[in-house]
Amino acid sequence: MDTLRIGLISVSDRAANGLYQDLGIPALEAWLTTALATPFSIETRLVPDEQPLIEQAICELVDERFCHLVLTTGGTGPARRDVTPDATLAVADREMPGFGEQMRQISLQFVPTAILSRQVGVIRKQSLVLNLPGQPKSIKETLEGVKHADGSVSVPGIFAAVPYCIQLLEGPYIETHSSVVAAFRPKSARRETNS
């Protein structure tokens, strides 16, 4: 079976120049480790806020490293240096608008400035590429969703749809730990598991 390959790109001028420690990639790695029941491998890239370098990192992870999923963190706001969505769209074959819409919906539960985010989700070849926020707390909320005190979900996180999307792109069958995020797929697309 094909191992799930995930590419992580942290976009930050300061972190790329060694002026401060990148927090995005460690936060993503930690979350994926707790959320995924399926074995996976990770490729990471740390790049400055330069559109050609972000485009190059995405293309390399998809075209050469064959990542099924690429997650970027940082560079999604309205400031001039925030060019991650522009780079993502420039190398996309198709846009998946629902991911950006849901990410903003989740963030709006916490801050009114969520509408300033330009995060996008796209498909390049057989890979799903998603722009995530830069802050570890926001990354977790975006992926997991907003939960009530009893743990039930009030606003679904975007990762609930990721396993089925990758399945539709002919990638590996991904299972999650439902206590973190429950993967949703139609009954016809579910496989019986041994667990």
Side-chain angles (χ1 to χ4, degrees):
M1 187 179 120
D2 203 7
T3 300
L4 172 62
R5 290 182 298 279
I6 303 175
L8 304 179
I9 303 172
S10 186
V11 180
S12 166
D13 282 333
R14 292 182 304 157
N17 292 322
L19 300 177
Y20 107 139
Q21 189 173 2
D22 171 58
L23 302 175
I25 288 173
L28 282 167
E29 286 181 327
W31 188 86
L32 289 164
T33 301
T34 60
L36 291 177
T38 301
F40 62 95
S41 63
I42 287 181
E43 286 266 346
T44 64
R45 301 287 183 274
L46 181 56
V47 296
D49 292 280
E50 300 284 349
Q51 186 167 338
L53 296 177
I54 301 167
E55 289 179 23
Q56 182 184 345
I58 294 170
C59 292
E60 185 184 323
L61 289 171
V62 171
D63 306 358
E64 296 168 32
R65 308 308 298 173
F66 307 107
C67 290
H68 302 101
L69 173 65
V70 175
L71 303 174
T72 72
T73 171
T76 58
R80 188 175 296 181
R81 298 289 295 165
D82 291 333
V83 292
T84 304
D86 311 273
T88 305
L89 290 168
V91 299
D93 293 327
R94 291 184 286 167
E95 192 173 353
M96 299 290 286
F99 282 105
E101 292 163 9
Q102 188 63 12
M103 287 190 262
R104 283 179 280 281
Q105 187 59 44
I106 293 162
S107 297
L108 275 169
Q109 308 298 311
F110 302 98
V111 289
T113 51
I115 58 173
L116 301 180
S117 168
R118 300 186 307 118
Q119 291 157 231
V120 297
V122 305
I123 291 168
R124 177 179 173 84
K125 297 185 176 174
Q126 297 293 103
S127 303
L128 177 63
V129 182
L130 301 173
N131 299 156
L132 295 172
Q135 298 300 318
K137 180 178 180 287
S138 303
I139 289 170
K140 184 177 189 292
E141 290 161 355
T142 300
L143 293 168
E144 266 179 51
V146 183
K147 297 181 179 178
H148 295 292
D150 66 0
S152 62
V153 177
S154 61
V155 183
I158 62 162
F159 207 88
V162 168
Y164 185 51
C165 184
I166 289 174
Q167 189 175 341
L168 291 171
L169 294 171
E170 298 169 17
Y173 190 86
I174 302 169
E175 295 186 75
T176 61
H177 295 293
S178 56
S179 57
V180 180
V181 63
F184 181 85
R185 43 173 67 89
K187 282 191 176 72
S188 62
R190 292 180 198 157
R191 291 186 191 161
E192 290 303 314
T193 58
N194 301 336
S195 55

